[in-house]
Amino acid sequence: MNFREEAYNTILKVLKNNEFSDALLQQRAKKLKHDGEDIRLFYNSVKGVIKMKQKLDHILSHYTDPKKYAATDLKIKIMLYLGLYQIIYLDTIPEHAAVNETVELSKKLLSEPVADFVNAVLREYLREDRTVYPEDPALRIAFEHSYPPELIQTWIQLWGEESTEYMAMYFNENPALHIRVNSTATNPEKLLNYFSRREIEIIPSPASKMMFYTHQSAEVLDEVAFSEGYFSVQDTSAAMVVELLDPQPDQSVLDLFAAPGGKCTYISERMGNSGEIVAVDKIPKKMKLLKQAADRLQLTNIIQVTTDALKYGPVAPAYHRVLVDAPCSGWGVFSRKADLRWQAHNDIPELIKLQEKALEHAANFVAPEGFLVYSTCTMNPHENEEQIARFLAKNPKFKLVTADTIIPKEYTENGFLKTIPFKHHMDGAFAAKMQKTK
């Protein structure tokens, strides 16, 4: 089975069943690698089509009757997506090969008449690009960069047209891989030298001395240094949340919504594998990933509790540090999670209620003079600044700690940790640190 057929089947599952692409990609990639297929083309095709389907739909509607196209069977649309995506975005594949291979795949998986239709549409596009975008700014950005129009409208209201378009464009680029040094096993200088000797470039992050980024992700992850626990994959924005928390050796820390464990393992490293971290999450599969990460990094101070974070107890103000990495709309991770943009505008009111409950529950565990950090991977002020304002108004025992006393100032705003993807070249994140009075 070639990469196109596997890509087609994977995209169909994602779009038809709302299955997350990352899990499917990992399953399918193993088989393709065994068969000697190009994994990168498979990844690019799947993630690219899922990200860009709104734009691909808009272009394709110019080459068929728009009403008839809207009612076209999803299987046929996906075949068109796959062919058109290769033509527009995959420079390593000649245009004629993209068309011919997609047509042959249509014959194999669908039918001869469908293959003829796919052939006609793709060749007509190659003859002439007739695509016209709407004049309305929200619709133009939504169709040109492939996002739900209502999400783009929200972003324009929050940030204006220019910043919204920069954000939309940034999330369509292939993100760099960010890696975090395991300070219990090595140091940044040694890791940099290790990769330099292997002619693999890792670039120090300006935001954190424990972080690097690289455009050679496959080579970095193939290195034995990863399996032996000398570094982890984590976005710099997520690492800075832990740096804001600033856990100290021998302290007790509670990490709510802890799995799959990127922040939890960094907390452990910052504590020098001392003290105690109670990691709480209700999803067993994700908790298994946390255990695997801790084992790989040889971290032994993490106690895992598989339960709903909102029901964790007994409630007692016993922890020096409490982290609430709350479920959120995920606007900040759109470049990595291709399918999230099509769901992230759903159920935000419900998420806000959940976040509020989580913050109130977490506050009960903070010891006098202890610290509470609330974090998300979104730039939505309703889930961020407004949550903190409500919490502080209701909980006068807590005071905001200004983030720029701990984090470089350029990654902060109004006392909060706040990363802007197109500006800082990392995921979007927010965090607020609060101290409980005596």
Side-chain angles (χ1 to χ4, degrees):
M1 187 182 289
N2 67 22
F3 85 86
R4 288 181 183 85
E5 186 171 346
E6 202 62 85
Y8 170 86
N9 290 329
T10 307
I11 295 163
L12 181 62
K13 273 204 165 189
V14 172
L15 299 184
K16 190 178 177 184
N17 307 331
N18 284 329
E19 290 192 32
F20 285 141
S21 61
D22 283 346
L24 277 171
L25 280 171
Q26 287 165 9
Q27 291 167 16
R28 305 288 172 111
K30 285 179 186 174
K31 185 178 184 303
L32 283 173
K33 197 170 186 179
H34 182 263
D35 294 346
E37 285 287 329
D38 192 324
I39 302 295
R40 289 185 191 187
L41 283 176
F42 169 68
Y43 270 89
N44 284 346
S45 300
V46 174
K47 288 213 165 195
V49 165
I50 292 165
K51 274 186 182 180
M52 302 310 294
K53 73 183 181 75
Q54 178 93 304
K55 177 173 184 167
L56 298 172
D57 268 331
H58 182 72
I59 293 170
L60 290 163
S61 70
H62 288 74
Y63 296 89
T64 56
D65 179 286
K67 285 184 180 175
K68 284 183 181 176
Y69 177 74
T72 299
D73 185 274
L74 180 62
K75 292 177 181 178
I76 300 172
K77 281 186 177 180
I78 291 171
M79 205 61 81
L80 287 166
Y81 295 161
L82 204 51
L84 190 57
Y85 183 81
Q86 291 171 73
I87 291 168
I88 298 172
Y89 296 104
L90 297 185
D91 297 337
T92 56
I93 298 174
E95 290 174 346
H96 66 86
V99 174
N100 293 342
E101 292 292 334
T102 306
V103 169
E104 289 305 311
L105 189 61
S106 301
K107 286 179 189 173
K108 180 181 175 183
L109 298 183
L110 301 175
S111 69
E112 194 84 39
V114 168
D116 291 343
F117 173 66
V118 168
N119 185 50
V121 170
L122 295 179
R123 291 193 185 282
E124 187 62 28
Y125 172 79
L126 285 176
R127 272 191 288 275
E128 182 189 4
D129 184 355
R130 299 200 294 262
T131 313
V132 177
Y133 291 100
E135 288 185 16
D136 176 80
L139 290 176
R140 181 189 63 75
I141 294 170
F143 291 133
E144 193 172 339
H145 302 297
S146 197
Y147 292 83
E150 58 270 37
L151 181 65
I152 294 298
Q153 188 65 61
T154 301
W155 286 5
I156 289 174
Q157 287 166 4
L158 290 171
W159 309 316
E161 186 182 336
E162 186 179 30
S163 289
T164 293
E165 186 149 24
Y166 279 136
M167 195 81 75
M169 291 166 70
Y170 177 84
F171 286 141
N172 286 340
E173 294 171 8
N174 285 326
L177 182 79
H178 293 217
I179 64 172
R180 184 189 82 226
V181 180
N182 179 3
S183 57
T184 69
T186 187
N187 61 49
E189 293 74 25
K190 285 181 181 176
L191 196 68
L192 187 62
N193 289 335
Y194 172 88
F195 282 111
S196 181
R197 288 196 302 273
R198 287 155 179 79
E199 297 184 344
I200 298 170
E201 185 182 35
I202 62 169
I203 302 156
S205 167
S208 168
K209 66 179 183 180
M210 301 309 291
M211 299 299 300
F212 292 88
Y213 65 94
T214 181
H215 300 288
Q216 293 177 265
S217 54
E219 293 90 336
V220 165
L221 293 175
D222 275 346
E223 282 296 324
V224 71
F226 176 70
S227 58
E228 290 188 354
Y230 288 95
F231 68 93
S232 294
V233 174
Q234 183 178 43
D235 193 78
T236 304
S237 64
M240 284 198 289
V241 171
V242 175
E243 291 171 12
L244 181 66
L245 182 69
D246 194 24
Q248 300 297 310
D250 299 316
Q251 286 188 333
S252 57
V253 177
L254 176 63
D255 183 1
L256 297 174
F257 307 98
K263 293 183 182 75
C264 186
T265 52
Y266 191 27
I267 292 170
S268 174
E269 291 166 12
R270 298 282 291 195
M271 293 166 66
N273 202 17
S274 69
E276 179 181 277
I277 305 157
V278 177
V280 183
D281 203 290
K282 70 177 181 181
I283 302 170
K285 265 188 182 177
K286 287 171 75 177
M287 287 296 263
K288 189 177 177 185
L289 294 174
L290 194 159
K291 185 178 187 313
Q292 288 170 353
D295 289 347
R296 182 179 61 81
L297 298 164
Q298 297 184 36
L299 302 172
T300 55
N301 62 342
I302 301 169
I303 298 166
Q304 292 189 216
V305 180
T306 307
T307 191
D308 186 340
L310 296 174
K311 294 176 182 172
Y312 174 70
V315 175
Y319 295 91
H320 300 102
R321 302 280 193 279
V322 176
L323 173 63
V324 188
D325 189 33
C328 70
S329 57
W331 290 358
V333 294
F334 280 0
S335 61
R336 298 176 195 285
K337 298 190 175 180
D339 36 16
L340 197 55
R341 68 180 66 186
W342 308 115
Q343 296 139 20
H345 54 293
N346 299 336
D347 301 325
I348 285 180
E350 288 304 310
L351 275 173
I352 288 169
K353 287 179 195 170
L354 175 66
Q355 292 158 355
E356 198 168 347
K357 281 182 190 171
L359 198 45
E360 290 288 347
H361 186 55
N364 296 318
F365 295 95
V366 183
E369 299 189 301
F371 294 93
L372 170 63
V373 168
Y374 169 85
S375 68
T376 70
C377 56
T378 187
M379 299 82 68
N380 184 359
H382 303 308
E383 301 175 69
N384 295 339
E385 290 93 338
E386 290 176 25
Q387 285 286 21
I388 298 305
R390 268 196 305 274
F391 175 79
L392 291 174
K394 285 198 289 184
N395 295 274
K397 282 191 172 183
F398 284 87
K399 303 294 178 193
L400 186 70
V401 177
T402 308
D404 64 15
T405 58
I406 304 160
I407 299 295
K409 193 171 185 178
E410 58 266 39
Y411 305 99
T412 68
E413 187 181 298
N414 299 326
F416 304 116
L417 166 65
K418 197 169 178 182
T419 57
I420 310 299
F422 69 84
K423 180 181 173 186
H424 297 130
H425 303 286
M426 61 181 75
D427 291 344
F430 170 90
K433 183 173 188 174
M434 294 154 283
Q435 185 170 26
K436 187 178 179 181
T437 56
K438 283 186 182 178

